[in-house]
């Protein structure tokens, strides 16, 4: 194999796969490699997989001699990043030796033949659901931070994506908070689809998504494929039943408070400075026309901040984990948010934009 390619094009394309290939040590060393394979019409196919998540993309190259090779993903990425701008020449000689030339720089690294490299799943775009990239990007940004990282609760280690007619729902929970977003889609799905997409796939997908254009989504029995132009992200799905999230969303709202999102964010951030592992909760007093945010930690001190708010209903004092509030306030962009409450021992509900709900379980105050 011998090819010539612009450094900027090569770097952009291998950056898509390097985290998939090099994320963890594997029993199969070849999984730490990227597969490079020439194709007709001056194309280079680049593939990365860890058997759970796979990514394939196409780069434009000058093919001097056809062929294929697998290269150590992390090292190859580091080398290409440091090469001078302009053309990069890559050639493979006997024993899978890879020569990399750019300007006056020259590198020689060892690759592996493609024989043992796993194949990505075959699929057809005929049954794909087409959705605006902005819908998926916004929805995942507003829900994925609530994914559980507790591997004993495997079914919560991803985002539930649910297609129902003209609606698409996104749900993530770690058992202590839940993020839910419902959006309308232009295309109606022929059948309802429920799939739990793992957090690693969500992370890679968010890097690929733009605010313009569409993404085609192909769902098979236990896999999902996201098609974005000449780049495909494939993933195994988490098997199991996602909890009944609708039961968790409070139906009753005895107290409703409307506050400025940015002011509330800054007040929570400042008060949280005086929480500790022994006293992790912030106290929120929702009273007539204001919210008082406070923290009190023995042997450390206390913090207190007041901010104006529109108020309806009963006054309530309640404890919450400040981190859970910060996650949602940082990701919403609305000027105003609504906080709905019932009792001091019942979940709170944050609403920002149409279709978005964020449920937070309360904490005991010391």
């Amino acid at each position: 194999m011998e090819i010539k390619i612009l450094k900027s094009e090569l770097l952009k394309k291998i950056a898509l796969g390097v985290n998939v290939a090099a994320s963890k040590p594997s029993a199969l060393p070849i999984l730490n490699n990227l597969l490079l394979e020439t194709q007709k019409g001056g194309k280079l196919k680049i593939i990365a997989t860890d058997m759970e998540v796979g990514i394939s993309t196409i780069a434009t190259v000058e093919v001097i001699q056809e062929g294929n090779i697998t290269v150590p993903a992390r090292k190859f990425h580091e080398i290409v990043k440091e090469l001078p701008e302009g053309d990069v020449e890559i050639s493979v000689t006997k024993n899978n030796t890879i020569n990399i030339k750019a300007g006056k720089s020259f590198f020689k690294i060892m690759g592996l033949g493609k024989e043992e490299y796993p194949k990505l799943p075959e699929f057809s775009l005929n049954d794909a659901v087409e959705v605006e990239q902005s819908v998926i990007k916004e929805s995942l940004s507003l829900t994925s931070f609530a994914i559980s990282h507790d591997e004993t609760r495997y079914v919560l280690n991803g985002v539930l994506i649910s297609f129902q007619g003209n609606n698409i729902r996104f749900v993530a929970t770690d058992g202590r908070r839940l993020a839910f977003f419902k959006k309308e889609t232009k295309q109606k799905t022929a059948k309802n689809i429920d799939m739990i997409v793992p957090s690693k796939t969500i992370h890679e997908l968010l890097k690929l998504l733009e605010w313009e254009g569409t993404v085609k989504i192909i769902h098979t029995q236990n896999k999902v494929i996201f098609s974005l132009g000449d780049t495909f992200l494939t993933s195994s799905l988490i098997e199991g039943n996602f909890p009944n999230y609708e039961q968790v969303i409070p139906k009753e709202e005895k107290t409703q408070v409307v506050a400025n999102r940015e002011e509330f964010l800054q007040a929570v951030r400042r008060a949280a400075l005086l929480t500790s592992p022994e006293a992790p909760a912030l106290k929120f007093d929702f009273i007539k026309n204001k919210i008082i945010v406070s923290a009190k930690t023995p042997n450390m001190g206390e913090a207190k901040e007041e901010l104006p708010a529109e108020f309806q209903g009963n006054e309530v004092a309640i404890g919450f984990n400040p981190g859970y509030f910060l996650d949602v306030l940082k990701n919403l962009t609305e000027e105003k948010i609504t906080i709905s409450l019932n009792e001091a021992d019942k979940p709170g509900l944050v609403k920002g934009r149409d279709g978005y709900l964020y449920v937070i379980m309360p904490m005991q105050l010391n």
Side-chain angles (χ1 to χ4, degrees), residues 309-350:
E310 297 163 36
F311 181 93
Q312 272 185 322
N314 305 336
E315 295 188 352
V316 62
I318 189 168
F320 286 118
N321 179 319
Y324 292 169
F325 257 120
L326 292 174
D327 281 342
V328 69
L329 296 171
K330 281 187 303 197
N331 282 286
L332 284 168
T333 53
E334 281 67 20
E335 186 189 351
K336 303 272 188 187
I337 56 152
T338 303
I339 301 152
S340 299
L341 303 151
N342 284 317
E343 313 282 347
D345 59 350
K346 296 279 195 304
L349 187 61
V350 178

Side-chain angles (χ1 to χ4, degrees), residues 129 155 159-165 167-171 180 189 191-197 217-224 237-246:
V129 182
V155 79
V159 175
L160 172 70
I161 302 179
S162 181
F163 291 91
Q164 299 175 7
N167 285 324
I168 178 169
R169 296 175 173 211
F170 298 79
V171 191
F180 168 93
T189 52
K191 61 179 193 289
N192 290 353
I193 297 167
D194 282 345
M195 55 185 179
I196 308 170
V197 183
I217 303 170
I218 304 106
H219 173 254
T220 63
Q221 197 170 357
N222 61 349
K223 293 227 174 342
V224 62
L237 294 170
I238 293 174
E239 294 185 33
N241 294 320
F242 201 80
N244 183 348
Y245 58 89
E246 289 180 353

Side-chain angles (χ1 to χ4, degrees), residues 69-334:
I69 190 68
T70 80
V71 298
R74 186 80 70 205
K75 192 51 68 185
F76 186 57
H77 182 248
E78 286 169 359
I79 289 169
V80 173
K81 208 157 67 170
E82 298 303 332
L83 290 174
E85 296 304 318
D87 284 337
V88 179
E89 292 173 42
I90 298 169
S91 60
V92 180
T93 57
K94 60 185 178 190
N95 302 329
N96 298 320
T97 305
I98 304 151
N99 298 320
I100 305 163
K101 264 199 310 196
K104 294 181 178 172
S105 301
F106 175 79
F107 288 87
K108 184 182 280 192
I109 56 173
M110 295 306 298
L112 291 167
K114 73 166 256 189
E115 297 73 26
E116 287 178 43
Y117 204 83
K119 284 190 165 54
L120 294 184
E122 305 269 316
F123 59 89
S124 156
L125 286 171
N126 293 342
D127 300 324
V129 182
E130 194 164 356
V131 185
E132 292 83 6
Q133 289 192 42
S134 58
V135 167
I136 307 286
K137 194 176 176 79
E138 176 193 30
S139 303
L140 292 178
S141 300
L142 284 171
T143 53
S144 60
F145 57 78
I147 290 174
S148 171
H149 301 290
D150 178 355
E151 296 198 0
T152 61
R153 307 184 73 184
Y154 183 61
V155 79
L156 303 183
N157 295 167
V159 175
L160 172 70
I161 302 179
S162 181
F163 291 91
Q164 299 175 7
N166 275 95
N167 285 324
I168 178 169
R169 296 175 173 211
F170 298 79
V171 191
T173 180
D174 62 8
R176 291 177 294 278
R177 36 95 177 259
L178 179 143
F180 168 93
F181 199 21
K182 181 168 86 171
K183 296 282 283 184
E184 277 194 10
T185 56
K186 288 178 184 170
Q187 184 185 345
K188 188 175 183 180
T189 52
K191 61 179 193 289
N192 290 353
I193 297 167
D194 282 345
M195 55 185 179
I196 308 170
V197 183
S199 59
K200 180 174 179 179
T201 310
I202 299 293
H203 181 70
E204 294 303 325
L205 182 58
L206 278 167
K207 290 195 290 191
L208 295 174
L209 291 164
E210 305 283 349
W211 289 109
E212 290 171 2
T214 61
V215 53
K216 291 188 171 82
I217 303 170
I218 304 106
H219 173 254
T220 63
Q221 197 170 357
N222 61 349
K223 293 227 174 342
V224 62
I225 296 101
F226 297 93
S227 163
L228 299 103
D230 58 13
T231 300
F232 297 90
L233 181 68
T234 69
S235 172
S236 298
L237 294 170
I238 293 174
E239 294 185 33
N241 294 320
F242 201 80
N244 183 348
Y245 58 89
E246 289 180 353
Q247 280 183 337
V248 179
I249 298 167
K251 306 293 181 280
E252 202 180 0
E253 300 175 13
K254 290 181 182 170
T255 304
Q256 272 207 337
V257 186
V258 178
N260 178 287
R261 182 191 60 82
E262 185 60 30
E263 284 178 10
F264 193 38
L265 169 65
Q266 296 306 336
V268 171
R269 189 175 268 155
R270 285 189 282 265
L273 295 171
L274 284 189
T275 56
S276 71
E278 295 75 41
L282 281 189
K283 184 184 180 199
F284 295 82
D285 286 284
F286 295 95
I287 51 183
K288 296 278 182 282
N289 301 327
K290 63 182 171 186
I291 304 168
I292 302 170
V293 184
S294 58
K296 196 171 188 177
T297 303
N299 306 323
M300 189 191 285
E302 53 188 278
K304 188 174 182 180
E305 187 151 347
E306 270 186 32
L307 59 150
E310 297 163 36
F311 181 93
Q312 272 185 322
N314 305 336
E315 295 188 352
V316 62
I318 189 168
F320 286 118
N321 179 319
Y324 292 169
F325 257 120
L326 292 174
D327 281 342
V328 69
L329 296 171
K330 281 187 303 197
N331 282 286
L332 284 168
T333 53
E334 281 67 20

Side-chain angles (χ1 to χ4, degrees), residues 15-72:
L16 299 179
V18 69
N19 288 336
V20 173
S23 61
K24 57 190 177 192
S26 168
L28 274 176
I30 201 162
L31 294 181
N32 293 320
N33 285 19
L34 297 173
L35 170 60
L36 311 181
E37 195 164 31
T38 60
Q39 297 198 310
K40 287 187 170 54
K43 303 287 182 198
L44 178 72
K45 192 172 198 177
I46 301 168
I47 296 176
T49 181
D50 66 359
M51 303 293 271
E52 296 290 320
V53 182
I55 193 162
S56 81
T57 190
I58 301 286
T60 304
V61 296
E62 182 189 331
V63 179
I64 298 155
Q65 189 178 353
E66 292 182 356
N68 55 68
I69 190 68
T70 80
V71 298

